[in-house]
Amino acid sequence: MSLNDTPGAERIQIGFFGLRNAGKSSLVNRITNQEVSLVSEVKGTTTDPVRKSMEILPLGPVTLIDTPGFDDEGILGEQRVRRTGEVLAVCDVAILVTENSSLNETEKELCKLIENRDIPYLIVRSKADLGSGNTSEQMITVSSEDGTGIEELKEQIGQLMKGREKQLRFVADLIRPGDTVILVIPIDSSAPKGRLILPQQEAIRDILDAGAVSVVTGVEELPKTIDSLKEPPALVITDSQAFGRVMKLVPEEIPLTSFSILMARYKGFLTQAVEGAAALDSLPEHGRILISEGCTHHRQCEDIGTVKLPNWIRKYTGRTPEFIFTSGHGFPEDLSGIHMVIHCGACMLNDREVQNRMRRAAEAGVPFTNYGTVIAKMNGILERSIRPVGL
């Protein structure tokens, strides 16, 4: 990803669903003006979700997701249908593509799945150039062959998303123009070589947009950085892994929080994360903890999710929990037997996917929290670290 790319989690996710050979792939190719998906007369050509990022005015950055046919058959077909369901978990908009003038029973079933997830959607009749009888007024008629209805479809997608734009800022609403914000970014074995991680980038950009000043420093340089300022910083934001050291270096009167706590607020689950962190105090011996990351990366010997966090939890609780790890878009449907979920900051997941994961946990009665919140609790500064965000 280049520095100018919009992160996938910040793009509007538009999923294309329907039966095999309904024209989903052709439609995606027509909208993007590229051969993103393989097109064939053979049913079931699309075997896995295919994603393409682009700009659609007036929506802005979007990701189009072409999915396998919902009526796929056999063992592999069942897996493809399950993949289609996983895509629904991340979609902001769904496009149901049909080649019929009215929906059949399988397509109606798909509609219900979309509606049950409260996803705004459009019904599109494809292959209009071939002609197939009168079309329902609820359908948009398009042709991937000659471009009929494509612009209308884009406009209708824009109308669906009107008023749904995200209003919450990452940090800008917590500071004023002219304020100085110190960002504490430890450079250790787990830091990516030659770059900053996404929450750090988002913080810097949001501070700039607020007309404030960001000062980036390491842990060891923090005391000197604070002393060099004419006035105390309006806020100090630290990487969660450095909470234990940073809290001792930042005077109590200076507001202190973490990138992970800000990200939980930005994704809309900070209140639940704070409540969920309390589950550590009642964790049974050999309790099962699911540690879930939204991205996939090379595990290192000092990996926070699989090494540091489990060690800190064992030390804090005095118990020996069983840890289960997931990464990327993989998240268990069945959370029975799990005592708590500790999620990463979810910077690589969109809001809908995070909310779906949190909903699954809530329905199973499983406390849901995240790295930064639980680390702040174990360091005894949770109350202090959520004070700057008004909790």
Side-chain angles (χ1 to χ4, degrees), residues 283-301:
L283 185 71
E285 181 67 27
H286 306 304
R288 303 178 75 209
I289 298 177
L290 172 63
I291 297 182
S292 184
E293 293 190 344
C295 60
T296 55
H297 60 270
H298 174 66
R299 304 287 187 187
Q300 297 177 314
C301 59

Side-chain angles (χ1 to χ4, degrees), residues 19-38:
L19 309 184
R20 290 174 294 168
N21 256 23
K24 302 183 298 297
S25 298
S26 296
L27 182 55
V28 169
N29 288 348
R30 183 72 190 200
I31 292 174
T32 61
N33 288 319
Q34 297 180 34
E35 291 188 10
V36 174
S37 298
L38 183 63

Side-chain angles (χ1 to χ4, degrees), residues 45-221:
T45 300
T46 301
T47 57
D48 286 295
V50 177
R51 289 170 166 83
K52 173 62 180 179
S53 295
M54 63 177 297
E55 298 267 343
I56 293 182
L57 297 177
L59 286 176
V62 304
T63 297
L64 306 184
I65 311 174
D66 183 17
T67 65
F70 191 68
D71 59 336
D72 216 337
E73 302 168 337
I75 296 177
L76 286 178
E78 292 175 2
Q79 294 177 0
R80 293 168 189 167
V81 170
R82 187 170 62 251
R83 289 285 184 91
T84 296
E86 291 173 357
V87 172
L88 279 173
V90 309
C91 278
D92 298 299
V93 178
I95 308 298
L96 175 57
V97 183
T98 178
E99 58 181 335
N100 305 311
S101 56
S102 60
L103 300 184
N104 63 27
E105 290 305 312
T106 303
E107 291 168 329
K108 289 177 181 178
E109 179 187 347
L110 184 51
C111 271
K112 289 180 180 179
L113 285 176
I114 295 171
E115 291 169 355
N116 288 341
R117 292 179 181 264
D118 194 29
I119 302 172
Y121 70 99
L122 297 170
I123 301 175
V124 175
R125 183 172 73 83
S126 63
K127 308 178 184 179
D129 53 296
L130 300 181
S132 57
N134 296 326
T135 300
S136 166
E137 292 182 0
Q138 298 177 335
M139 293 183 180
I140 299 173
T141 302
V142 303
S143 168
S144 301
E145 184 68 28
D146 60 24
T148 298
I150 299 298
E151 291 307 314
E152 180 189 354
L153 174 58
K154 292 179 182 179
E155 292 173 5
Q156 289 295 318
I157 294 173
Q159 288 298 315
L160 278 184
M161 293 304 297
K162 195 172 183 179
R164 295 173 179 260
E165 297 86 355
K166 190 167 185 174
Q167 302 298 322
L168 191 62
R169 302 292 295 275
F170 189 81
V171 68
D173 59 315
L174 305 177
I175 55 179
R176 297 173 299 179
D179 280 348
T180 298
V181 180
I182 295 180
L183 310 181
V184 185
I185 301 175
I187 303 300
D188 53 24
S189 60
S190 61
K193 186 175 179 60
R195 63 181 178 87
L196 301 178
I197 61 175
L198 186 57
Q200 296 162 358
Q201 295 178 39
E202 291 208 19
I204 292 173
R205 178 54 195 260
D206 216 31
I207 292 167
L208 289 172
D209 287 342
V213 177
S214 61
V215 176
V216 181
T217 188
V219 178
E220 302 301 326
E221 296 78 20

